[in-house]
Amino acid sequence: ICQYSLDIDRWNLECEFNNTDHRTDLNGIDRLIVRRGQPFSISLYLRSGSYQPGVSSLDFVAETGPQPSEQYGTRASFGLSASIDTSCWSAAVTSPPGDMVALSICSAPDAPIGRYTLTLGHSARIEFILLFNPWCPGDAVYMDNKENLAEYVLAQDGIIFRGAYKHPIPTPWNFGQFESGILDVCLRILDMNPKYLKNPGKDCSGRRNPIYVSRVLSAMVNCNDDKGVLLGKWTGDYEGGVSPMLWRGSVEILRNWDTQACQPVRYGQCWVFAAVACSVSRALGIPCRLVTNYLSAHDTNSNLVIERYVNENGELVQSKEMIWNYHCWVENWMTRPDLKPDFNGWQAYDPTPQEKSEGVYCCGPTPVRAIKEGELTFKYDAPFVFAEVNADVITFMKKKDGSTSKVSSNALVGQKISTKSVGSDAREDITHLYKYPEGSAEEREAFKKADHQNKLLQQQQNQGLHLNIKVTSDMRKGCDFDVFAVVTNNTQSEKKCRLLFGSCALSYNGFMGGNCGFKDLLNVELSPGGERKVPLRLNYSKYGGQITEDNLIRLAALLLDYTTGDTTLAVRNVVLDNPEIKVRVSSKICDKIQTFGSDHNFWPRLENCCFSIEGANLTGGGIITERLGPVGPGEDAKVKIYFTPTHSGLRKLVVDFDSNKLCHVKGYRNVIIGK
């Protein structure tokens, strides 16, 4: 039978139907955006003739990247089939014979993601964007839980946990991965990475693999080696940029990078790097969640040990190796065909520039399961992540004569590893995914695999004198309060000791600031079994000018036993609560929303106040700001803001209150918007 090519006049990409079916409609319905391994439909209108099964023919060529190649998998040629084959590129006619031809087309579930052109015969050429498909069982990012998919792919808002491990503080964030133009920015990030610039054909081929894409994002969200998105800054002021504390979402950051010719946005810190990486991962279709590790170790020499030093006053001496009060990274969900089957699932990767990996400031992805099992030979950067949650801490005292002596301390690492719960704003503790219970046989086996000799050989702490730091529950910024060093004598003899108890301002990543209060008791006497509780008063008049926007104070108590010469160190970081700001949001069932704010405070007077509102598909990815007049003690301030939503349905507002006397306080709230 002689076959004839179809004579195509025009076509309809059925963008609204396809994008909705592929769960990409929040990106808009003005162009075709589909997910791999899932059929999509287009309608062809013929100039002449009609489609006849077995007689009519049509050839297809799908191409991505500037150097499409069948060898690299960036070019695929295929023809019409009797039915769709979802395991490869395929096409089939789904309409009866006639001058309108309904086509069903499917990409391979392992096709490279990105911008595509699809040539149909000799006269039609269409363009579309192809994304990862976590709803497709054949895709490496497949996730089989509907609630998890709603949270880790489709949710545009989330919670980042900051504060301290004994006082986690939830901070709302607008990921905004479906806001107008954000997908284009994410694809541009891939195109600006050095591997693409060096060999675009090979790089585009690598985009079939979520392991490769995640590693590229880990490098490109920071700008240390490339034209990446964010410039990090952890000390000094933030002149020439925005304080990391003031970012409310990823949209403004990504748009600024895009519109400023890929110049890095100033400035980011770990939770900002991680949040932007989460936005990009979700935009590309990879399930992603943001994780906070409290008391996170930064091991610079890969020996799984953090060596820290104190002076003779018990004050910590700054060093390159330190314990961050918390550190944020992200986890992407995918299979690991390069490893054993047990290591599929969540893979940790970290876009904050800390140490180089293969000559580039990036980290991961490494299986979370590998960290738990101590499998440190697995790609990528498992030793660094393992140290973040498991490193041993050894403390030395640097004396004035230059000598050092070991100090007994009970330092914690890798506590309350946290992420947002699925379907709620509650904190989910996922420490058990990274670590076995302390002291368990499984933990010991993991340390053996990791060759973590310090942990295996760790001896019991000195049981004679016990030193602990206790605090009260109402430590608020602006107030004076007491903290306590508690010394217990567990021996059968009387003890005479010296106690040094000090405090200093602290940044979340371990950098220390000015003194907030200090006490030196030369003669602390303890009877057998006795206990002594020593208070240290922290006055706002002293600490107020020292602390950073992190609201953190480090407490350190050093105990010297005159009898034995042994020294014991106790350290605790505390986070101060900001004054309570209550925000009430009310909405009408219409095309506009009214937002009312109420501030309750015990400050003398707040001036230069403003409310900022940001919401996914509500404010166009921008921030609406309204200034307020001065607010006195206990007064209410009311602001009414109107804006038009992009889509109807459930949306989340991020409401931010700021003033020149108060670190900003964020609230968040779901709002139902009707048509």
Side-chain angles (χ1 to χ4, degrees), residues 325-398:
N325 194 55
Y326 63 86
H327 181 55
C328 299
W329 58 75
V330 286
E331 295 174 357
N332 279 359
W333 180 270
M334 67 192 74
T335 59
R336 290 299 299 262
D338 56 325
L339 305 174
K340 297 182 233 177
D342 291 344
F343 297 91
N344 297 332
W346 290 117
Q347 313 288 316
Y349 83 92
D350 190 349
T352 300
Q354 297 180 88
E355 301 294 327
K356 287 190 174 184
S357 171
E358 297 180 340
V360 177
Y361 278 101
C362 66
C363 179
T366 190
V368 171
R369 178 74 183 272
I371 304 307
K372 184 173 183 176
E373 301 295 340
E375 297 281 6
L376 303 195
T377 61
F378 287 6
K379 290 184 176 180
Y380 293 88
D381 309 308
F384 186 81
V385 181
F386 183 88
E388 287 182 303
V389 301
N390 280 309
D392 191 21
V393 181
I394 301 177
T395 306
F396 298 94
M397 179 184 288
K398 275 189 175 180

Side-chain angles (χ1 to χ4, degrees), residues 359-577:
V360 177
Y361 278 101
C362 66
C363 179
T366 190
V368 171
R369 178 74 183 272
I371 304 307
K372 184 173 183 176
E373 301 295 340
E375 297 281 6
L376 303 195
T377 61
F378 287 6
K379 290 184 176 180
Y380 293 88
D381 309 308
F384 186 81
V385 181
F386 183 88
E388 287 182 303
V389 301
N390 280 309
D392 191 21
V393 181
I394 301 177
T395 306
F396 298 94
M397 179 184 288
K398 275 189 175 180
K399 299 181 180 178
K400 292 177 181 177
D401 61 7
S403 63
T404 60
S405 61
K406 194 170 181 179
V407 176
S408 174
S409 66
N410 187 21
L412 298 173
V413 167
Q415 300 294 301
K416 279 190 181 174
I417 304 175
S418 304
T419 191
K420 177 187 176 295
S421 294
V422 173
S424 83
D425 292 336
R427 185 184 70 87
E428 179 183 353
D429 194 307
I430 57 171
T431 309
H432 64 284
L433 299 181
Y434 281 84
K435 306 167 73 168
Y436 283 106
E438 189 170 343
S440 66
E442 294 90 347
E443 181 197 48
R444 193 167 183 82
E445 186 62 31
F447 287 159
K448 284 180 181 177
K449 283 185 191 174
D451 196 25
H452 198 357
Q453 297 302 322
N454 276 77
K455 282 284 189 181
L456 289 168
L457 301 175
Q458 199 172 60
Q459 298 178 349
Q460 285 281 323
Q461 294 292 328
N462 177 15
Q463 296 300 308
L465 285 172
H466 182 73
L467 180 62
N468 191 22
I469 296 176
K470 293 188 175 182
V471 299
T472 58
S473 60
D474 57 346
M475 296 178 295
R476 284 201 177 97
K477 185 177 179 181
C479 293
D480 302 338
F481 56 89
D482 289 321
V483 293
F484 303 91
V486 181
V487 187
T488 307
N489 181 9
N490 295 320
T491 71
Q492 299 301 312
S493 57
E494 190 172 292
K495 289 286 186 179
K496 290 186 178 181
C497 309
R498 179 184 180 186
L499 176 67
L500 300 104
F501 192 12
S503 61
C504 68
L506 180 70
S507 296
Y508 85 95
N509 62 331
F511 280 92
M512 289 163 289
N515 173 37
C516 297
F518 180 77
K519 179 177 285 187
D520 185 358
L521 300 181
L522 296 174
N523 190 20
V524 176
E525 296 185 356
L526 291 160
S527 59
E531 181 179 284
R532 178 83 179 269
K533 190 175 183 181
V534 178
L536 176 66
R537 187 73 169 171
L538 296 184
N539 296 306
Y540 177 67
S541 59
K542 186 161 188 177
Y543 75 73
Q546 300 290 344
I547 59 173
T548 68
E549 293 173 310
D550 294 309
N551 280 9
L552 285 168
I553 295 177
R554 168 163 286 180
L555 308 173
L558 185 70
L559 187 70
L560 172 63
D561 185 342
Y562 286 133
T563 307
T564 63
D566 292 337
T567 51
T568 303
L569 177 72
V571 176
R572 180 165 179 176
N573 301 335
V574 298
V575 59
L576 306 184
D577 288 325

